[in-house]
Amino acid sequence: MVSDERALATWLAARDDHALAATLAGRGVPASSSWHDFFDAAEALMDAASLDRALVRLPRTALSALASGTPITDGELTRLALVAESGHPYDAVQDRVAVLVSGHPGVFEQQPPAAARITADDRASAAAAERAFGTAGSLADVLLACLHSPFARTGSGSVSAAERKRLTDAGALGATDDLEDLLAAAEAAGLASAQERLWSVTAAGERWLESPTADRWAIVAEGFRSALPDGLRTDDGGFADPSSWPAAYPLDPDWPARSARIRRIGESWGLLGADGAEFTWTAALRDGAAADASGLAAHLPAEIDRVYLQADLTAISPGPLAPALDLRLRSIAVRESRAQASTYRFTAESLGAGMTDGETAGSIRGFLAEISLTGIPQPLDYLIESTAARHGLVRVRSDDATGRTRVESPDRSLRETIAIDQALRPLGLLSDGDSLVSRVTRDGVYWALADARYPVVALDDDGSPEPVRRRAVGSVESSSTTPAAAYARLLTALRSGHGTEGEEGWLGRELEQAVRARSEIVVVVRMPDGSERTMTLEASGLGGGRLRGRDRAADIERTLPVSSIVSVRPA
């Protein structure tokens, strides 16, 4: 009969790299593990401590299935190397389940059926829609800030305190906003990605910023559902009654806090009610259907597409401005108030920033004329003209002939100011005729000058102005290292170790273990005449295709060809 450890080793060896890495990641195996072959892996995965770590992270449904004693069809348990392909848990798993059942009998029982659903009334629905509207606006502010300057992350993965202060000072983060909850919702919907040291906005996040509020909500709602843990999901693609969530992972010590956070995010997006009542727009999601924002949209304030431009260089929106218009207006103006009726202020710096991102005096005037109910006041028109006249006095381009970056300006005094500016010393600027040159890349020089508030513009190879963006746009796929890449070294070691086919790999494994432990083993050896002889040895060496060990019965050192050994077992 094949042992569980050997069967598991064979199963692991048959997995492709991606599937094997997923199993190792699911079991929390460190990528630095010093395993030599699949037998080492199987032995470690069958270790009681390793099994306990896996079992406490399982949902109640899986725990109940393991304790039932009947064949299991849950593919996730097979993927986690807890259940054999036959559907029966490995013996070591059954032993650990029995121990846990004796200490926590209630957690291995199925939860009672959920109570009948209660539909939320109009007042609760309106309040939920208002929360969703405010949260969508908060996330838009956060993503917009992250789009221009990705957020730094601490070693624990949270956003740094300096970034939080920057967001709060800029009005992108309100006093009651939870930044981590907002980013968690964004990541689940594919709008932002958490890279090693930065949070960045994805291409989908950029498109989301220009979408109407109802569409924004639908995208986040479906992302929220898809990111729910398996223990909260149903077979039809929906999710279980939220009242059952706190008890879904009864052995996991981290689950209460995680469950509370998931519910908090759901409530902030108008998906869950505090009193357990269900909204009409949540029912479809819970049943596995696509998000339908029509019910929510009926409670949202109407979005407008016009503003009042004032002579004091402000723009007043009498209601929530359509997101695409708000996004562009904020690229050339500073939003001063954060409410359904918002105020934006134009400054030389804000207009210059818009021109840095590719706007021109003509494009700004055309946009404002399109959305203004009061035309373009003369003070604002003058500010646009004067900003455009000054913008681009400093030009930065790459010099292919020398491989350096060239800084040019028709204003000699401005060039001299740049040359002696202490803030720009890291650029190593040197005079070269009517220009300054640097070994730093064009974009690096450009942003150093822009941060120092010089009217700089970048030129392309043809000498035409070119927008330069500091955005680090991420992608869901590249936001983190894949399991296969993370476990590359360990996978190579496992596949270069003993094979698992037939008896040879298993025999080699047993002999190596015996030699490392210098333990006594019983070996059955096939003699030249075809007969078999059993002897007990204290294994002392293995190499060159031979096993060395002291025969205790005869008190002599023996050397046996490994090819002649039929079987081995502990003495």
Side-chain angles (χ1 to χ4, degrees):
M1 180 178 177
V2 177
S3 68
D4 281 352
E5 186 177 315
R6 182 174 175 184
L8 179 55
T10 302
W11 180 81
L12 292 171
R15 310 279 281 170
D16 62 43
D17 282 356
H18 291 286
L20 179 56
T23 294
L24 300 180
R27 289 291 298 270
V29 174
S32 58
S33 297
S34 57
W35 298 341
H36 297 91
D37 53 35
F38 286 106
F39 299 112
D40 281 345
E43 180 182 26
L45 293 175
M46 289 292 188
D47 178 72
S50 175
L51 291 175
D52 285 349
R53 285 194 298 272
L55 292 172
V56 298
R57 304 295 179 184
L58 292 181
R60 180 183 294 271
T61 52
L63 293 172
S64 176
L66 287 172
S68 68
T70 59
I72 297 171
T73 59
D74 187 343
E76 179 66 11
L77 294 178
T78 302
R79 186 183 70 83
L80 290 175
L82 298 173
V83 173
E85 290 185 295
S86 64
H88 294 89
Y90 294 108
D91 290 343
V93 175
Q94 290 180 318
D95 292 343
R96 298 313 303 167
V97 168
V99 171
L100 291 172
V101 167
S102 64
H104 312 274
V107 305
F108 289 86
E109 299 174 359
Q110 288 283 12
Q111 285 185 288
R117 300 187 187 187
I118 301 175
T119 302
D121 58 28
D122 286 344
R123 183 176 180 180
S125 297
E130 184 177 353
R131 286 197 304 273
F133 178 82
T135 305
S138 297
L139 180 57
D141 290 345
V142 168
L143 291 183
L144 189 58
C146 184
L147 191 61
H148 289 281
S149 182
F151 301 155
R153 303 175 71 210
T154 65
S156 64
S158 61
V159 177
S160 67
E163 293 287 8
R164 292 174 187 274
K165 185 177 186 304
R166 176 170 71 88
L167 289 170
T168 302
D169 292 345
L173 199 64
T176 60
D177 291 333
D178 190 316
L179 180 58
E180 301 301 337
D181 285 358
L182 291 172
L183 289 175
E187 184 176 33
L191 310 179
S193 62
Q195 300 173 352
E196 184 177 356
R197 301 295 297 175
L198 294 173
W199 273 102
S200 60
V201 181
T202 66
E206 289 197 78
R207 293 191 297 271
W208 184 89
L209 282 170
E210 298 183 354
S211 302
T213 300
D215 292 348
R216 287 177 170 182
W217 175 87
I219 292 170
V220 172
E222 293 196 357
F224 172 83
R225 179 179 61 184
S226 66
L228 289 174
D230 291 341
L232 307 186
R233 302 295 300 274
T234 56
D235 294 338
D236 58 5
F239 54 84
D241 182 357
S243 66
S244 69
W245 291 4
Y249 288 82
L251 292 177
D252 188 348
D254 298 330
W255 178 245
R258 187 182 176 195
S259 174
R261 185 187 187 193
I262 293 173
R263 184 170 188 97
R264 187 171 66 242
I265 294 173
E267 290 181 4
S268 69
W269 284 93
L271 290 163
L272 306 176
D275 59 356
E278 185 174 74
F279 307 112
T280 56
W281 52 83
T282 306
L285 280 169
R286 184 173 163 189
D287 292 336
D292 182 1
S294 58
L296 179 85
H299 295 281
L300 296 176
E303 294 173 348
I304 64 173
D305 59 1
R306 294 291 187 272
V307 299
Y308 294 98
L309 296 182
Q310 308 282 90
D312 63 355
L313 302 179
T314 61
I316 297 176
S317 171
L321 195 59
L325 299 180
D326 172 75
L327 188 64
R328 187 171 179 187
L329 184 57
R330 289 171 64 182
S331 72
I332 57 176
V334 178
R335 192 182 66 180
E336 291 188 327
S337 66
R338 183 184 182 185
Q340 290 191 19
S342 301
T343 302
Y344 306 79
R345 180 170 296 280
F346 298 94
T347 65
E349 290 76 14
S350 67
L351 290 169
M355 292 175 184
T356 295
D357 266 351
E359 294 279 8
T360 64
S363 67
I364 292 174
R365 286 194 183 97
F367 169 65
L368 295 179
E370 182 181 344
I371 66 171
S372 175
L373 291 167
T374 54
I376 302 177
Q378 186 176 3
L380 176 56
D381 189 68
Y382 175 78
L383 181 62
I384 294 172
E385 187 64 33
S386 61
T387 303
R390 187 170 185 272
H391 188 76
L393 277 177
V394 181
R395 298 183 291 272
V396 179
R397 63 180 178 86
S398 298
D399 188 341
D400 294 335
T402 62
R404 297 187 178 186
T405 298
R406 193 167 291 275
V407 180
E408 304 168 331
S409 176
D411 188 331
R412 179 178 178 180
S413 62
L414 185 57
R415 289 201 312 270
E416 293 175 348
T417 300
I418 292 172
I420 62 174
D421 192 332
Q422 294 299 304
L424 302 178
R425 286 189 62 186
L427 298 180
L429 293 168
L430 299 174
S431 295
D432 183 17
D434 292 336
S435 305
L436 300 173
V437 295
S438 171
R439 294 182 181 275
V440 178
T441 63
R442 186 201 69 168
D443 289 5
V445 173
Y446 172 87
W447 282 114
L449 289 167
D451 289 342
R453 298 190 180 280
Y454 287 100
V456 61
V457 64
L459 305 181
D460 60 16
D461 294 338
D462 298 327
S464 300
E466 179 182 32
V468 179
R469 298 186 178 183
R470 187 159 29 193
R471 304 173 182 178
V473 179
S475 67
V476 177
E477 294 79 7
S478 63
S479 63
S480 59
T481 304
T482 62
Y487 286 101
R489 184 204 61 79
L490 181 56
L491 295 180
T492 300
L494 294 177
R495 298 207 185 279
S496 62
H498 289 301
T500 58
E501 297 296 328
E503 297 293 329
E504 183 179 350
W506 183 251
L507 182 64
R509 155 74 175 180
E510 293 291 278
L511 294 177
E512 277 194 0
Q513 279 196 323
V515 169
R516 284 202 295 264
R518 299 190 71 84
S519 59
E520 287 193 355
I521 55 175
V522 177
V523 295
V524 178
V525 183
R526 181 176 291 108
M527 307 304 291
D529 60 2
S531 62
E532 294 183 353
R533 179 178 174 185
T534 301
M535 57 187 72
T536 301
L537 303 178
E538 180 186 343
S540 59
L542 183 66
R546 294 179 178 276
L547 171 69
R548 298 186 303 279
R550 175 165 291 279
D551 186 336
R552 290 298 189 185
D555 197 26
I556 59 173
E557 189 80 18
R558 294 188 183 276
T559 301
L560 305 174
V562 173
S563 59
S564 297
I565 298 176
V566 176
S567 64
V568 59
R569 59 180 175 81

